[in-house]
Amino acid sequence: MPGRILGVDVGAVRVGVALSDPAGTLATPLVTLDRDETTWSDLDRLVELVTEHEVVEVVVGLPRTLAGREGPAAQAARAYVDDLREVLAENSMTDLPVTLADERLTTVSAIRMLSDRGVKGRAQRRVIDQAAAVEILQTWLDARRRPEPGEGP
């Protein structure tokens, strides 16, 4: 189904957000939100972004170890998805798919990319979460477009 997809990188302090183009081909940085486990203002802002950009799906990064196991960070991401689904339901958006996507090495990749572009230190910290969200979403978009083994050319 065509439409914009929101990519989310959940951190303990900040939440990076990326947005796809309407065709679901290219992910671009959107915003970094301050994480607020008390008022859920970051979750409320995500719902606003979903409405504002007519998002058809939300993809949240699931941090796994290199061996594919899930640790505390993955459990935190799963809890965040549960909270997001609750806030979406409160806003009559229960049909909006929220998908978890493997995000191994996305932050490392984002840091490397920013460093290669000359973005360092404090400036890097301001955009690292958005860059990680772009990596999560772009990887997911690319995987979705690839044909399954055995399918056509």
Side-chain angles (χ1 to χ4, degrees):
M1 163 173 58
R4 293 186 184 269
I5 300 161
L6 208 63
V8 180
D9 177 53
V10 180
V13 178
R14 289 176 303 274
V15 177
V17 184
L19 185 66
S20 78
D21 63 319
T25 304
L26 183 65
T28 57
L30 185 61
V31 68
T32 299
L33 306 173
D34 290 325
R35 181 97 184 260
D36 188 342
E37 295 183 61
T38 305
T39 67
W40 286 7
S41 61
D42 52 319
L43 292 166
D44 291 336
R45 183 67 183 122
L46 283 176
V47 171
E48 290 171 4
L49 292 169
V50 163
T51 302
E52 179 182 338
H53 295 284
E54 299 177 351
V55 169
V56 298
E57 186 166 358
V58 178
V59 176
V60 179
L62 180 65
R64 291 187 170 141
T65 67
L66 290 177
R69 293 189 182 90
E70 292 187 17
Q75 292 169 354
R78 286 186 182 280
Y80 193 85
V81 165
D82 289 344
D83 292 343
L84 176 57
R85 286 181 174 137
E86 185 177 327
V87 173
L88 288 168
E90 290 169 2
N91 287 275
S92 303
M93 297 181 192
T94 53
D95 292 340
L96 184 74
V98 179
T99 305
L100 284 159
D102 189 343
E103 67 155 285
R104 277 178 265 193
L105 300 178
T106 54
T107 300
V108 171
S109 206
I111 290 169
R112 185 173 298 129
M113 180 267 305
L114 290 170
S115 292
D116 289 348
R117 293 184 181 173
V119 181
K120 299 200 185 311
R122 192 170 273 167
Q124 190 179 80
R125 285 193 294 273
R126 286 197 308 266
V127 295
I128 190 67
D129 302 291
Q130 288 177 44
V134 167
E135 288 278 335
I136 291 164
L137 182 54
Q138 191 64 58
T139 300
W140 186 85
L141 292 169
D142 292 347
R144 188 178 71 160
R145 281 196 315 273
R146 270 193 294 262
E148 292 293 319
E151 289 184 9

